Amino acid sequence: MKLSGYVQNEERGLDATFMALADPTRRAILARLARGEASVNELAEPFALSQPAISKHLKVLEHAGLISRGRDAQRRPRRIEAPRLAEATSWLEGYRHLWEGNFHRLDALLDELQPASRAKRTKRRKETK
Amino acid sequence: MTAHHGSLQVTAPGDREIVMIRIFKAPRALVFDAFTKPELIVRWLLGPDGWVMTVCEVDLQPGGTFHYVWRNDSEDKEFGLTGEYREIAAPARIVHAERFDQSWYPGDAIVTTTFAESDGMTTVTLLSTFDSREIRDGALESGMETGVAASFDRLERTVLSSS
C-alpha cells in the first residue's frame, strides 16, 4: 500500500463531488433527477426551501459536474450526469468492499454469540476466515 | 440514503474524513465486545482473503494502547497497526489514534467509533479523520487497490477453477 501522485484536475473534481454529495438535500435532488429531468420549481417543491436556496444547491451540483442544464430556454431543466456520479462511487468501492468483508464476518460471529439464533442456524456452518 | 442491516455506507465528506455506517443484528454490549476483545477481534477484522491476525493486543483504557499485526503466508507479507485510546465510554463510544507500523503515511488517524442501539439492533459509526486530504485519499486508494486486487484474485480463481 502506498500513496500515489494525483492529477490536479481529478483531485479537484473528486473534492467537489464529495462536497456535493455530503448534503442530504443535494442527495435528495440527485435522487429525484435520477428519475428524470426537472425544472428548478419542480425540484424546489418537496423542500421547505426558497428558490434561491435551491438554486444554491443546484450550483454546487453543477460545479461538481453531477448535473447539467437542458436546452429548453424557458424551463432550463436540470438532468443528472451519471458518469461523474459513478466515478465518485467507484473511488470508494474498493475501500467499501474491503470493509464489507470484515463486517460480514462480524455478522456471522455475532450470530454465533447470541443464544436465540442458535436454534435457527443451519447445520452447514460458514468457515470464518 | 437509508441504512438497513447488512448494508455498509462509506462516505468521504469534507477534506479529511472517511465515515462508515453499518447496522448489526445484535445488542450494543455484544457489538462493543466484538470491537474490543482480542479473542473476538481476530475472528473478523482481517481485510482481504488470505490474511490472518497474528497479534491482537488490547489495553482498553484511556492512554492504553492496542497493537494488531496481520500476516499473509502465501505472499510472505505482514503489516501492523498501533494505536492509543483517548476516550472510552463503554459501550457507547471509543476515540483512539492509530498509525500503521510501516508508516505508509505521516501522522495519526483519529478514529471515533460510536455504538447506538435501537430495537435490538446496533448502529456502528466509524469516523476516521486524517491530517490532510492527500492522506485521506491515500487511505481510500489503498483500500481500493487491495479491494480491487482481492476481487480480481477471486475472479481469477473462479475462472481457473471452471476451465
Side-chain angles (χ1 to χ4, degrees):
Chain A
M1 292 199 256
K2 61 186 194 305
L3 296 180
S4 322
Y6 295 91
V7 174
Q8 190 71 357
N9 288 336
E10 185 178 304
E11 185 177 64
R12 268 205 290 268
L14 280 164
D15 277 355
T17 305
F18 287 147
M19 223 269 286
L21 292 173
D23 180 276
T25 305
R26 291 198 282 271
R27 290 200 296 272
I29 291 172
L30 283 175
R32 166 62 186 83
L33 289 174
R35 297 200 307 271
E37 64 180 38
S39 67
V40 178
N41 288 335
E42 285 163 359
L43 289 171
E45 215 213 317
F47 304 103
L49 290 172
S50 65
Q51 188 159 324
I54 283 285
S55 293
K56 202 170 163 195
H57 282 303
L58 293 177
K59 273 204 179 72
V60 172
L61 288 169
E62 272 174 65
H63 173 69
L66 290 168
I67 66 174
S68 60
R69 295 190 196 200
R71 297 281 196 109
D72 183 320
Q74 261 189 333
R75 285 181 69 242
R76 303 306 303 278
R78 297 327 194 253
R79 58 174 65 106
I80 200 165
E81 291 291 328
R84 176 56 71 97
L85 189 58
E87 182 184 288
T89 316
S90 73
W91 183 252
L92 296 169
E93 263 317 293
Y95 192 86
R96 193 164 74 84
H97 183 79
L98 193 82
W99 279 95
E100 266 185 340
N102 283 337
F103 292 142
H104 280 137
R105 277 186 289 269
L106 180 50
D107 281 336
L109 174 63
L110 289 168
D111 199 50
E112 193 183 301
L113 292 171
Q114 293 180 81
S117 56
R118 257 181 218 146
K120 293 182 202 164
R121 257 190 278 135
T122 62
K123 284 183 181 168
R124 267 182 301 117
R125 278 190 201 207
K126 281 194 180 158
E127 279 290 312
T128 50
K129 293 175 192 185
Chain B
M1 282 193 275
T2 45
H4 59 270
H5 159 246
S7 80
L8 169 62
Q9 289 185 55
V10 180
T11 54
D15 277 354
R16 301 183 292 132
E17 291 135 0
I18 299 172
V19 178
M20 293 197 287
I21 304 175
R22 180 45 154 86
I23 296 176
F24 296 94
K25 229 160 132 186
R28 181 166 71 165
L30 196 59
V31 181
F32 187 88
D33 282 351
F35 271 78
T36 54
K37 290 188 168 170
E39 66 271 23
L40 299 180
I41 295 169
V42 297
R43 299 279 304 274
W44 66 272
L45 188 62
L46 301 174
D49 284 351
W51 293 83
V52 294
M53 242 182 164
T54 53
V55 173
C56 184
E57 292 159 352
V58 173
D59 178 19
L60 193 73
Q61 56 176 326
T65 61
F66 69 86
H67 189 215
Y68 304 151
V69 178
W70 293 269
R71 179 162 179 77
N72 185 317
D73 273 329
S74 62
E75 293 176 29
D76 196 27
K77 284 188 189 160
E78 196 168 89
F79 68 95
L81 185 73
T82 302
E84 298 85 38
Y85 297 106
R86 300 222 173 144
E87 288 173 41
I88 295 170
R93 176 182 157 96
I94 303 170
V95 181
H96 74 262
E98 68 181 31
R99 73 211 63 87
F100 284 103
D101 297 342
Q102 288 72 11
S103 294
W104 281 302
Y105 50 79
D108 291 357
I110 307 298
V111 181
T112 302
T113 312
T114 60
F115 307 81
E117 183 172 338
S118 170
D119 285 331
M121 314 257 272
T122 301
T123 302
V124 180
T125 305
L126 287 109
L127 164 67
S128 300
T129 306
F130 300 85
D131 281 345
S132 72
R133 181 191 56 208
E134 286 78 15
I135 294 171
R136 187 274 310 270
D137 289 355
L140 277 178
E141 186 179 292
S142 67
M144 187 158 82
E145 284 169 15
T146 48
V148 169
S151 302
F152 283 147
D153 282 349
R154 222 168 280 137
L155 183 63
E156 196 176 68
R157 282 202 301 271
T158 315
V159 168
L160 286 173
S161 70
S162 66
S163 60

